[in-house]
Each structure stands twice: as C-alpha cells, then as structure tokens.
Amino acid sequence: MRRGRSNGIGGGIGWVLLLGLAGCGQPEPPPFTQVRDPNQIIIGTTAKVTTLDPADAYTVFAGNVLLALGDRLYTYKPGTTELQPQLATALPQVSADGLTYRIPVRQGVIFQDGEPFNAEAMRFSLQRFMENGGRPSFLLKNLVADIRATGTYELTIRLQKPFAPFPQLLAFSGLCAVSPKAYRIGPGQFQPRTFVGTGPYQLVNFGSDSLKLKRFPKYWGAPPASAQLDIQFLTSSANLYNALQTGAVDVAYPFLEPQQIKQLQAQSDIQVVSSAGTGINYLTLNRTQPPLDKKEVRQALALVMPRQLLQERVFQNLVEPAFSMVPSGLPGYQPVFRVAGEPPPVRRAQELLTQAGVSPTQPARLDLWYRSNIPSHIQVVTTIKATIEREVPVQLTLQPVDSTTAYQNLEKGIYPLFLLDWYPDFLDADNYLEPFMSCQKGTVAEGCLAGSSRTFGSFYYNPKANELIAQSRRTTNTAQRLVLLGELQKLMAADVPYIPLWQDRQFVFARRDVQGVRLEPTQTFPFWLLKKTSPSP
C-alpha cells in the first residue's frame, strides 16, 4: 500500500516550511551547466527513483515514468477519470458472477526489443507482477485466481471473488506489458535499472542522478511530442527552484515549498499548473489504547481538528481541507466529517468527553506521533496540539519517529495517534476505504487481529464495514455502488478510526517555451506531451 510518501517519493507538494525562501541570500549553484540542446526537455525533480521494474516500482514519480515507457490494458481519457482501452481494444466482458473478465488485446504492437505483443505476453507480464513478490504484488495476488491467453489476442482473467473496480486496477502503472524475452518470472527476479515495454519512450540510460529517454520509433500509437526527454534528480527543493529559474531544467515536478510556489506564481516567465491532488493526509487512531477505546473520545477529537488553520497558516492555502478519506473530486465522495449547526463543534466535543469521564481535572493524555523526516509535520502537529489543548481537556505529547521505524511498528499497536498520508493504487473510492476499514479476523472487543486496518495501526473491526465492502465490490450497478460507498464513509465518521485532515494539491512548473504542460485528474503528469515551442531546425 502506498503511504508515507510526502518525504520526496510521492505526489503532492514537498513542504519544508522551516527553511527560508529559496533564492534569497546566497543562491545554490545550478546542479549542472553543460551546453543544452535547445530542443531538449529536462524535467527536474527531488523525487527518488530506485527501480523501474514495474513488478517492484511503487512510488508516484516512478509510476509517471512507467506511463511514458510502457502501456497497460487500460488508461484514462485525457482530462477525465473515464477508463478507456490502451493495449486492450475494448472494455472487458464480465461474466454474470463477476469473476471472469475476457479482454481482447491489440494487434500490431511490438516491444522495444522487437518482440511481438500478444495475449500471452500480457499474461506473462501480469503473472510476473504477482509471482515476483514486489512491493505492489498484493494488488493482483489477493484478487486473481487465474490468468490465461485464451486466444492469440484474447486474455481471460478469473478472480477469486467479485471486485467491481477491477478494470480501474488494470490501469495501475505497474501492470504494463514487458517483453517475455527481456524478463524472468521468479521471486525477487527484478531488473531495477532497465525497461523493455511497448510505450512511446524507451529507456536509454538510468544513471545515478538522471534518466534519459528517447522516442520509440515503432510505437503503435501517437508519437511523443519530444524526441528526447531527460529527468534530472536534484538533492533539494532549493536546487530545483534555482535550476528552474536559471533554465538548467525546463520543468520542475515535484517538490517545492509554499514560499517558492508563491514566488513562481508571480513570475510571468514561469508556467504554474495545478490541480486537486488525490493524496489524503489523516490521523490514525488506535482504538485498542485507552482513552481511544472509547468512541466518544475519538468523536470529540474529530470535532475539534483545526483543518482551516492547517490550510491557511501551515500550508498557505495550497491544500484543501479533507472531510472524508475519499478525495472531493471522486464519484461517491461525501463530506461526512464536516460539522454544521448547533451546538457548535467544540461544545459537542466537550459533552462527548464528559460522557467518557474526561474533564479539566481528569484530562485525557495521548501521544501524537509523526514522521520526523517530513519537516512540515512538526508544524502540523504543533498546530493540532495547541488547538486541541485550548478547546478541550485533552493533553497531547508530540513524539517524532523516522518513517522506516513507524511503518514497522504501526501494526504492533505502539502508537495511539499517528499523522500519515495515503496515495491511491487505483482511482476509485474503494481504494480509500477498503484498505482502512477491512479486517479479515477480529472481534468488536479485541479489534482487528489480522487484516488491513491492523496494518494502518487503527485495529478497526466492524462486521458491518466488512459486509458493506463486500457488497460494494460485488455490485456492478454504479448508483447502488455509490450508495454503499457513502454508507462506508458515514460508518467511518461514526466510529472514527481515522480523521482526514487535508487533501493535497499537485503542482507542475515550467518555463514559458515548454508546451503540453498539464496534470490529469488521475494525478498523473503526461511527460509525452511536452515539447519546446520554437525548436531549432
């Protein structure tokens, strides 16, 4: 599951609010100064890419690179969240029991090593994704019973159980076709620094600080706008900011700090493209630890969260308050954590705490944990602490921990409150609810003993949630499915195993001579559309 990637390996904005304005005082030197080809596009980024093996790559930026190098069975229509065929030629034919998907695949496609693409090659790619045991392998392994090439250009996938958003999952960046000649199936058989697929670009070089891509001349679809694309990895947002200002890079994506974004928005020679992101930042509440074992305490905390202060003072209005774990732009979104009417939220919270036996003379005491390698989170938790302690009799002790340790310990039940973030594997409300609310084994009294919610540290268990998830996954009627997803969100707001806080915005910055700069509603950045406006002969 993709989590905790605000530290430079995910979508959204990388916030470093404790630093001063980049570009003020003594500027850092540009990261490279070699003579530039005027037609060349260079994307600068502070993200890190350690692997381009689609069976193991599990970060947002690596996923964007894979979209430029490879093709999946399905993709999204530009500017929408509507699914359309890519290597498939039509949407799947689904059996009446919702278990069997028959997919016709495209003819006349070749891999970048000259091998032909067909249904068997697609079967190989998906089978490899599951069997090699990479970080995202569970996405298919937990769902798929069997994959077969039932014709030269027909793929048949049988699921273990119905899963309505399965076509959306097939658009995941790692489920791209790879050449059976260039790859192997087997646990740990990864090739992190090579790629052989069918996409518009092919990989030329994966260096220590850069990627070089060139146009694949035999691509079956529309050719990419630029013949060559370079990606430069920079060590800091200050370096990235200065590289964009000096023209050492043409595009910056991601990350920049709010102050830098504000400066760039005021410059006429820089394009700033933004869109609502799909990342949700939230608190996970461990319902096995007192006093969070009392629902009234969890509900009271949800009522006094300072979303507006976080938006305005910490993030300078460059994020949006989140009132659901589902992003506001997705079908099925319901702002179930938004509170209006009388009595005011603070008074309601005080009443709930009184019911739970919490008072000014007997305050609730909690440790609030956050990842120490994300500089913005110190300001977030400080703001939360100050607001809550001012409004209600709850005392918070702030506890930093590094990300690696945090992820190892979440399911051990060590942390009562933890500030985390989430970016989806596929764009559907299910992927913002099922991972957080499902539990395969547990009781109401003991909480989740085995399952996804334990992994996230909430230990949430509710049989009704499990049944609603199962129903929503079986249901193919869109209207009925959205109702069920809405019920799940209402259940989360009632039980409060998590509290959504803010929703990221995504930004891309480019020099004025770059065309094709845009962000998709799916939070992808289509590199293949970029080109210079006035290329030299």
Side-chain angles (χ1 to χ4, degrees):
M1 54 197 65
R2 296 205 271 187
R3 64 186 179 191
R5 291 161 306 118
S6 292
N7 58 353
I9 54 174
I13 308 169
W15 311 102
V16 190
L17 295 176
L18 303 181
L19 298 179
L21 288 173
C24 294
Q26 185 66 33
E28 296 187 40
F32 41 88
T33 57
Q34 69 269 25
V35 176
R36 290 277 310 275
D37 178 345
N39 298 298
Q40 181 185 26
I41 296 283
I42 297 181
I43 299 172
T45 184
T46 55
K48 308 298 180 188
V49 176
T50 58
T51 180
L52 286 176
D53 192 315
D56 197 36
Y58 201 34
T59 65
V60 172
F61 192 86
N64 272 281
V65 177
L66 288 176
L67 296 182
L69 294 171
D71 299 315
R72 296 93 70 223
L73 287 166
Y74 298 101
T75 186
Y76 291 93
K77 289 184 179 179
T80 76
T81 56
E82 183 181 348
L83 210 63
Q84 70 175 13
Q86 192 174 47
L87 287 177
T89 58
L91 294 176
Q93 293 182 2
V94 187
S95 61
D97 61 6
L99 294 176
T100 303
Y101 287 70
R102 294 177 61 190
I103 302 171
V105 302
R106 192 174 296 277
Q107 302 183 34
V109 176
I110 64 169
F111 287 100
Q112 292 154 357
D113 61 357
E115 288 293 297
F117 168 80
N118 51 32
E120 173 57 28
M122 195 72 237
R123 183 209 65 80
F124 169 89
S125 302
L126 299 180
Q127 200 73 38
R128 180 178 182 272
F129 184 91
M130 291 190 293
E131 292 188 22
N132 283 33
R135 287 171 291 174
S137 62
F138 72 95
L139 292 171
L140 283 190
K141 191 181 294 184
N142 293 347
L143 286 172
V144 172
D146 183 62
I147 307 175
R148 297 184 183 182
T150 48
T152 305
Y153 296 103
E154 182 186 80
L155 189 72
T156 299
I157 303 175
R158 185 163 180 80
L159 304 185
Q160 301 171 20
K161 52 190 174 182
F163 183 54
F166 186 62
Q168 283 82 358
L169 175 57
L170 292 175
F172 174 65
S173 59
L175 297 181
C176 54
V178 294
S179 170
K181 182 180 177 181
Y183 291 86
R184 299 287 181 270
I185 292 180
Q189 294 292 308
F190 301 120
Q191 297 176 199
R193 305 188 80 80
T194 63
F195 185 88
V196 183
T198 63
Y201 282 108
Q202 59 189 116
L203 183 64
V204 176
N205 183 62
F206 189 161
S208 60
D209 61 355
S210 65
L211 290 171
K212 291 187 179 297
L213 285 59
K214 71 175 182 180
R215 185 184 288 153
F216 177 39
K218 296 183 179 180
Y219 183 56
W220 61 271
S226 182
Q228 180 178 325
L229 190 69
D230 289 2
I231 297 170
Q232 188 75 33
F233 300 115
L234 305 177
T235 58
S236 70
S237 59
N239 256 346
L240 179 57
Y241 178 88
N242 288 326
L244 180 67
Q245 293 279 48
T246 61
V249 302
D250 304 294
V251 179
Y253 169 81
F255 304 93
L256 291 174
E257 293 97 42
Q259 299 98 326
Q260 296 166 335
I261 293 172
K262 293 290 188 181
Q263 284 188 335
L264 293 173
Q265 286 174 331
Q267 295 183 19
S268 60
D269 60 338
I270 298 294
Q271 302 178 60
V272 181
V273 177
S274 69
S275 71
T278 55
I280 294 291
N281 298 261
Y282 64 95
L283 287 174
T284 185
L285 289 74
N286 183 348
R287 50 89 66 205
T288 68
Q289 284 203 21
L292 295 175
D293 55 341
K294 296 180 179 179
K295 183 189 295 187
E296 294 86 357
V297 175
R298 303 195 301 271
Q299 291 174 335
L301 289 174
L303 284 166
V304 293
M305 282 298 147
R307 294 180 179 86
Q308 200 73 25
L309 279 178
L310 295 178
Q311 178 192 28
E312 295 173 357
R313 297 188 186 179
V314 178
F315 297 118
Q316 300 184 29
N317 291 312
L318 294 173
V319 303
E320 300 174 5
F323 296 100
S324 171
M325 291 295 286
V326 177
S328 58
L330 275 189
Y333 163 76
Q334 292 195 16
V336 290
F337 281 86
R338 178 177 280 135
V339 180
E342 293 292 334
V346 172
R347 191 189 308 169
R348 292 190 217 180
Q350 292 168 342
E351 292 170 355
L352 286 165
L353 290 171
T354 299
Q355 294 173 29
V358 177
S359 67
T361 57
Q362 292 182 309
R365 292 180 172 84
L366 287 164
D367 288 344
L368 171 53
W369 292 80
Y370 64 97
R371 288 162 293 167
S372 56
N373 55 307
I374 305 178
S376 70
H377 281 196
I378 181 61
Q379 291 207 359
V380 170
V381 295
T382 300
T383 302
I384 291 173
K385 172 181 169 66
T387 301
I388 287 178
E389 292 184 348
R390 182 177 66 248
E391 303 288 5
V392 292
V394 174
Q395 296 178 4
L396 298 178
T397 301
L398 304 183
Q399 301 279 15
V401 63
D402 66 276
S403 293
T404 302
T405 302
Y407 300 150
Q408 291 172 346
N409 289 332
L410 268 173
E411 62 183 274
K412 296 178 182 177
I414 294 174
Y415 310 121
L417 276 174
F418 210 115
L419 176 62
L420 293 167
D421 54 14
W422 172 255
Y423 297 86
D425 300 307
F426 57 95
L427 202 60
D428 187 272
D430 175 275
N431 199 229
Y432 292 88
L433 297 171
E434 186 275 340
F436 298 94
M437 302 183 74
S438 67
C439 178
Q440 283 67 55
K441 179 182 178 182
T443 66
V444 173
E446 296 176 288
C448 186
L449 302 175
S452 186
S453 72
R454 182 185 181 93
T455 304
F456 282 91
S458 74
F459 296 81
Y460 179 67
Y461 177 82
N462 188 323
K464 184 178 179 182
N466 288 335
E467 179 55 32
L468 284 170
I469 289 167
Q471 289 180 26
S472 69
R473 290 184 157 201
R474 289 193 300 265
T475 301
T476 55
N477 181 286
T478 300
Q480 293 175 6
R481 186 166 175 268
L482 292 181
V483 169
L484 293 168
L485 294 170
E487 290 301 312
L488 275 168
Q489 291 170 79
K490 292 175 184 176
L491 190 60
M492 184 183 287
D495 290 345
V496 199
Y498 311 94
I499 302 175
L501 295 175
W502 75 90
Q503 179 178 335
D504 288 336
R505 287 196 66 81
Q506 191 181 23
F507 289 84
V508 175
F509 310 89
R511 312 266 318 166
R512 281 291 172 192
D513 61 347
V514 179
Q515 284 185 330
V517 183
R518 80 183 195 199
L519 288 165
E520 293 292 333
T522 54
Q523 203 177 343
T524 59
F525 176 25
F527 297 160
W528 53 91
L529 299 179
L530 300 174
K531 69 174 183 179
K532 291 291 184 69
T533 55
S534 302
S536 61

